[in-house]
């Protein structure tokens, strides 16, 4: 049985150095996450993951929940993790 080697497959990765961008002139339209497609270690093209404002908020809440305090080195919590903050998504 062959072992999985991520350098020999199709992959979607964030484009280093490119930030998430607002879609359109109104922040309510959503965001776009720049991605590139790589196959067998070679760049094939660029694309975007487009999220509505609601989808972006849900992803934000999930990331805050999953990361917990493990990312925190300065001792400060982001707004989404502060006591009493609401993200619109409730976790158990």
């Amino acid at each position: 049985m062959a072992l999985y080697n991520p350098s020999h497959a199709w992959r979607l990765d964030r484009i280093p150095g490119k930030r998430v961008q607002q879609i359109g002139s109104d922040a309510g339209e959503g965001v776009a996450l720049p991605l590139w497609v790589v196959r067998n270690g070679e760049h094939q093209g660029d694309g975007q993951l487009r999220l509505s404002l609601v989808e972006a908020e849900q992803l934000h809440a999930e990331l805050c929940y999953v990361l917990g305090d493990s990312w925190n080195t300065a001792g400060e919590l982001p707004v989404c993790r502060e006591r009493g903050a609401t993200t619109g998504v409730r976790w158990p």
Side-chain angles (χ1 to χ4, degrees), residues 9-78:
W10 287 96
R11 292 175 32 152
L12 286 174
D13 292 325
R14 288 192 65 181
I15 299 175
K18 284 202 174 181
R19 294 178 139 327
V20 175
Q21 300 173 345
Q22 180 178 309
I23 298 172
S25 59
D26 180 16
E29 292 184 50
V31 298
L33 173 65
L35 300 171
W36 58 13
V37 180
V38 178
R39 181 176 180 221
N40 297 329
E42 293 184 27
H43 177 259
Q44 301 294 311
D46 295 344
Q48 293 180 338
L49 173 61
R50 296 172 69 98
L51 300 169
S52 70
L53 188 59
V54 171
E55 292 168 329
E57 287 286 345
Q58 289 174 337
L59 178 59
H60 176 250
E62 289 178 40
L63 289 170
C64 281
Y65 178 76
V66 169
L67 291 173
D69 295 331
S70 64
W71 65 274
N72 185 2
T73 57
E76 296 178 9
L77 292 176

